Amino acid sequence: MTGLRPEASGNPGKTRSAGNMQRQDPPQPSTIPPHRVALIGFMGAGKSTVGHHLASLLGWQFLDVDAVIVRNAGRSIADIFQSDGEQHFRILEHAALRRCLEGSQAVLALGGGAVELPANLKLLAASQGTQVIYLHAPLEVLIARCELAASQPDSARRPVFEDRAALAERYSRRVPLYEAAAHIKISAEDSPVAVARQILTLWSTTLEPAR
Ligand code: S3P
């Protein structure tokens, strides 16, 4: 598989659009071909589902940071929030993210709040060969998706979504953080498989020779 040309990280700068895909300017040359993709964005953006599709299209492993937290803690995210609070959850999330970023040929899905911890932003920025992709959508779309998911019998509870009064404020606080952390911003309003394919299209239009 050829590599997606590494893009700049840090300042969002002016964005360029390709269809509903946008790339952050200016790109910075790097000698490290990407071998990891980190999907970021608010709850309901479809990070896990897109991540699954993208990983299988690439033949890479899929790592869901939330699932790693749950596995390591032996309890659900809702339980962790309830007994130990959000701050403790963020500590577990940081450890899980650090571990996931050690994986190669991996697509990672981060929880929606991971960008709120500066240490996580530092980890992402310092992670060589990691392409950070922000899946964005309007808050109303994301809320509708989370509501639909919550109505499914076996769906995992999202404590942050249940705190509806704080949702809009969280969204506004996080959007600039997603934008600053991402190399690429892509609309998440299409179906997850379509979004995964768009990421691959972007991949093939920014091809560098295979190394
Ligand atoms: C959170 C989002 C969740 C999960 C946790 C906290 C948040 O992940 O990490 O419930 O703060 O937005 P998803 O974005 O995958 O739902």
Side-chain angles (χ1 to χ4, degrees):
M1 183 75 202
T2 47
L4 184 61
R5 185 182 305 143
E7 304 281 347
S9 68
N11 295 329
K14 207 173 103 206
T15 55
R16 278 177 287 147
S17 300
N20 57 358
M21 292 171 288
Q22 298 178 315
R23 279 189 293 153
Q24 313 284 347
D25 274 336
Q28 280 173 0
S30 164
T31 52
I32 314 265
H35 49 265
R36 215 177 289 107
V37 170
L39 300 176
I40 61 171
F42 206 67
M43 290 172 288
K47 302 173 296 282
S48 300
T49 323
V50 170
H52 265 297
H53 288 300
L54 184 60
S56 80
L57 288 168
L58 288 166
W60 286 7
Q61 59 176 324
F62 172 66
L63 300 172
D64 188 317
V65 176
D66 280 346
V68 172
I69 298 167
V70 168
R71 199 168 57 237
N72 290 347
R75 54 209 171 116
S76 70
I77 289 176
D79 282 349
I80 299 168
F81 266 73
Q82 199 172 331
S83 13
D84 301 317
E86 180 170 351
Q87 223 177 341
H88 181 69
F89 171 79
R90 298 292 167 208
I91 293 169
L92 301 182
E93 183 175 49
H94 179 70
L97 175 61
R98 183 182 288 278
R99 175 57 66 88
C100 289
L101 284 170
E102 287 166 7
S104 188
Q105 296 211 313
V107 177
L108 277 57
L110 276 63
V115 292
E116 295 217 40
L117 203 73
N120 290 341
L121 299 176
K122 276 193 193 152
L123 263 187
L124 285 175
S127 172
Q128 302 221 314
T130 299
Q131 197 81 25
V132 182
I133 301 182
Y134 168 31
L135 302 183
H136 75 95
L139 182 58
E140 318 79 77
V141 171
L142 301 168
I143 288 178
R145 287 182 183 173
C146 289
E147 270 168 356
L148 183 65
S151 71
Q152 306 302 308
D154 291 330
S155 78
R157 281 183 47 220
R158 284 180 160 120
V160 166
F161 179 66
E162 289 165 5
D163 183 5
R164 298 296 283 271
L167 216 51
E169 196 264 326
R170 278 194 199 256
Y171 180 79
S172 323
R173 188 170 70 229
R174 290 175 182 181
V175 165
L177 298 173
Y178 296 134
E179 301 227 348
H183 303 104
I184 297 167
K185 175 178 168 182
I186 182 166
S187 168
E189 289 193 71
D190 278 336
S191 71
V193 72
V195 174
R197 289 192 180 285
Q198 282 166 26
I199 293 170
L200 277 189
T201 304
L202 180 60
W203 199 291
S204 62
T205 55
T206 57
L207 279 180
E208 289 198 323
R211 293 165 210 246

